[in-house]
Amino acid sequence: MSSSFVIACVGKPSAGKSSFLNAVTDASAKVGNFPFTTIEPNQGIAYYPVDCPCRAANGGSAAKESCKPRYGWCADGRRFVPVRLLDVAGLVPGASEGRGLGNKFLDDLRQADVLIHVVDASGTTDDNGRETKGYDPVGDIQWLRKEIEDWVFGNMERRWGGIVRRHIAVKASIVDTMHAQLAGYGTVRSIVQRAVDQLHARFGSMDLDKWDMERVRDFVRVFLDERFPTVVALNKIDMPDADKNIAAIVRRYRGPDPRDGVRAENIVLTSALSECFLRKMAKQKIIAYAPGDAEFSTDAPGLRPADERTQRRLDNISDLVLFRYGSTGVQDVIVRAVEVRGFVPVFPVKSFSVFPECILVRPGTTVREFARRLHSDIDRAYAGAETVGAIQLAEDDAIVAGKNNIIRFL
């Protein structure tokens, strides 16, 4: 797989994490309504759709024969780029203190670029993942963030005295000191810089040795917003009571600033089981359906008739999910997860008519950094780069989608 982008699918046991993974990948996670269905991280490949340059290179028509991606596929000028998806072990309140599978869960998060938090919008599982009725899922978002926050803050609190003494002794900048402490969370320096800048904008400049534990926790909160942006997948939207719970969650997170690490625009309504069923029926040639579609067809050429039970379920999905919400929402979650990070699709080419690879890179990645990532030989032999129209690119040019993200190295 060419892209290294990793999404962690998180949430309490039995919220539908494994069903979500099955809905967007061809992995087969264990599914069950009991705690710790998932013990080891299940891994699969999901796909992020981008516009493929094959259409422009082919005079505005999709190049069905010539566009053959090395990874993923191209359909009618849309390139489906692979991203890695993890369904990590179930989390329960108290995980930061070692309860449940908490230590393992939190350690698995280090691999992720972004989190998808699957929340049971129906209120039919309690905070420990056991079956119930009338549970308020608003709290699930809060305690997930609190467990991650307590995990990071607890690690810093225990070492804070030593951190400050070393900071003073070596006369380091706050960014350098905090990056050294947070590198174990898969953190790049730019993320720490943004967190420090936000803290200074809010409270003014303050020497690290004057930070109290309240200020340390404030820093941890803004750091987590930057390091682990979270997309909330409100799952089971076709279940009873889901509507009122969805309305309460949307009201709580409406506003310009993140709350509990969540922004309103990063909440997506989903029905993972509906998506799983539609994909299964499509494979069995009972319906014509593509992931993310707003409808399916039962009368397209070559389809088999559905039995009565199957037809009833298809009708329910059509009425309760597709008609009401426009789709199952599952593909929308993947799209939002990639876009919330601002990753840029880049097409390295030998010719501006063939596009075998598409690689997602972090925003701000320069042309030379991209050459280094592709291969050490390309970096060593670097003699320049150009984009469409023979436009020369500087080494330190940041790669921007639609501007210079089709690159040929000279």
Side-chain angles (χ1 to χ4, degrees):
M1 188 175 82
S2 58
S3 295
S4 58
F5 188 83
V6 179
I7 300 170
C9 192
V10 304
K12 70 183 183 184
S14 306
K17 302 186 312 301
S18 296
S19 297
F20 181 87
L21 183 73
N22 292 338
V24 293
T25 74
D26 51 10
S28 295
K30 289 177 290 185
V31 178
N33 199 32
F34 51 89
F36 313 137
T37 302
T38 307
I39 303 300
E40 298 295 328
N42 291 292
Q43 300 191 28
I45 303 300
Y47 295 91
Y48 171 66
V50 301
D51 290 332
C52 184
C54 72
R55 183 181 291 275
N58 199 42
S61 301
K64 295 182 180 179
E65 297 300 323
S66 61
C67 192
K68 297 179 179 178
R70 188 170 299 168
Y71 305 98
W73 72 92
C74 180
D76 296 324
R78 292 289 281 171
R79 176 71 67 93
F80 290 81
V81 184
V83 295
R84 191 154 61 100
L85 190 64
L86 307 180
D87 179 14
V88 296
L91 179 68
V92 295
S96 58
E97 301 169 0
R99 186 174 172 227
L101 302 174
N103 291 333
K104 178 172 177 49
F105 173 93
L106 294 166
D107 191 60
D108 288 336
L109 293 187
R110 303 171 194 265
Q111 306 175 57
D113 293 293
V114 64
L115 308 183
I116 292 174
H117 183 188
V118 181
V119 173
D120 178 359
S122 71
T124 55
T125 51
D126 66 15
D127 55 353
N128 288 293
R130 298 186 180 92
E131 287 189 71
T132 188
K133 291 183 179 180
Y135 177 77
D136 183 359
V138 172
D140 288 348
I141 298 173
Q142 295 175 292
W143 64 251
L144 175 67
R145 174 57 180 248
K146 183 178 185 302
E147 292 301 338
I148 299 173
E149 180 183 313
D150 287 349
W151 172 49
V152 177
F153 174 74
N155 288 339
M156 295 194 70
E157 183 182 33
R158 286 189 291 271
R159 304 193 307 270
W160 188 248
I163 292 171
V164 172
R165 286 192 295 272
R166 177 172 174 75
H167 172 76
I168 295 172
V170 303
K171 299 180 180 179
S173 69
I174 291 179
V175 173
D176 287 339
T177 293
M178 299 307 282
H179 182 228
Q181 299 306 313
L182 298 168
Y185 301 100
T187 304
V188 296
R189 193 179 188 279
S190 60
I191 287 178
V192 179
Q193 180 70 65
R194 291 198 297 271
V196 170
D197 290 345
Q198 287 186 48
L199 204 68
H200 283 176
R202 188 181 305 173
F203 300 109
S205 181
M206 182 183 293
D207 294 334
L208 194 73
D209 59 315
K210 294 184 173 62
W211 286 18
D212 56 16
M213 286 300 101
E214 181 180 354
R215 188 64 71 244
V216 174
R217 188 175 281 277
D218 287 333
F219 173 79
V220 168
R221 290 184 180 124
V222 295
F223 163 72
L224 291 178
D225 288 342
E226 294 290 337
R227 174 60 188 90
F228 295 114
T230 302
V231 175
V232 175
L234 291 183
N235 195 31
K236 306 183 184 180
I237 55 176
D238 51 334
M239 299 280 286
D241 293 334
D243 283 351
K244 68 175 184 180
N245 292 329
I246 290 168
I249 291 173
V250 171
R251 281 196 303 271
R252 176 176 176 80
Y253 296 100
R254 184 182 296 131
D257 298 319
R259 190 173 185 180
D260 306 322
V262 173
R263 296 180 180 274
E265 62 267 27
N266 294 336
I267 297 175
V268 183
L269 308 184
T270 65
S271 176
L273 284 179
S274 294
E275 180 70 19
C276 287
F277 186 72
L278 292 177
R279 291 192 182 202
K280 180 181 178 181
M281 294 300 98
K283 286 182 179 180
Q284 294 179 6
K285 303 294 184 182
I286 293 175
I287 64 172
Y289 174 75
D293 279 359
E295 58 185 4
F296 57 83
S297 172
T298 57
D299 56 7
L303 295 180
R304 299 189 296 109
D307 60 35
E308 185 177 347
R309 181 180 178 185
T310 298
Q311 189 60 53
R312 280 200 305 271
R313 187 167 180 187
L314 288 171
D315 289 342
N316 284 337
I317 292 174
S318 182
D319 293 341
L320 298 178
V321 178
L322 300 182
F323 179 77
R324 297 183 67 185
Y325 301 107
S327 75
T328 66
V330 170
Q331 186 65 47
D332 295 333
V333 174
I334 299 300
V335 170
R336 190 64 195 139
V338 176
E339 292 182 350
V340 76
R341 266 299 195 186
F343 271 55
V344 179
V346 187
F347 297 85
V349 300
K350 294 182 179 180
S351 157
F352 290 115
S353 61
V354 182
F355 310 95
E357 289 196 74
C358 179
I359 299 173
L360 298 175
V361 301
R362 296 180 185 278
T365 298
T366 66
V367 172
R368 188 59 183 269
E369 288 170 343
F370 182 60
R372 192 173 301 122
R373 172 178 169 174
L374 277 180
H375 202 282
S376 58
D377 289 346
I378 296 176
D379 183 44
R380 281 194 299 268
Y382 186 88
E386 64 179 7
T387 189
V388 176
I391 298 174
Q392 300 299 302
L393 301 176
E395 289 187 26
D396 58 354
D397 281 350
I399 301 174
V400 179
K403 178 182 178 183
N404 61 355
N405 63 323
I406 304 172
I407 299 176
R408 185 171 76 90
F409 293 104
L410 305 177

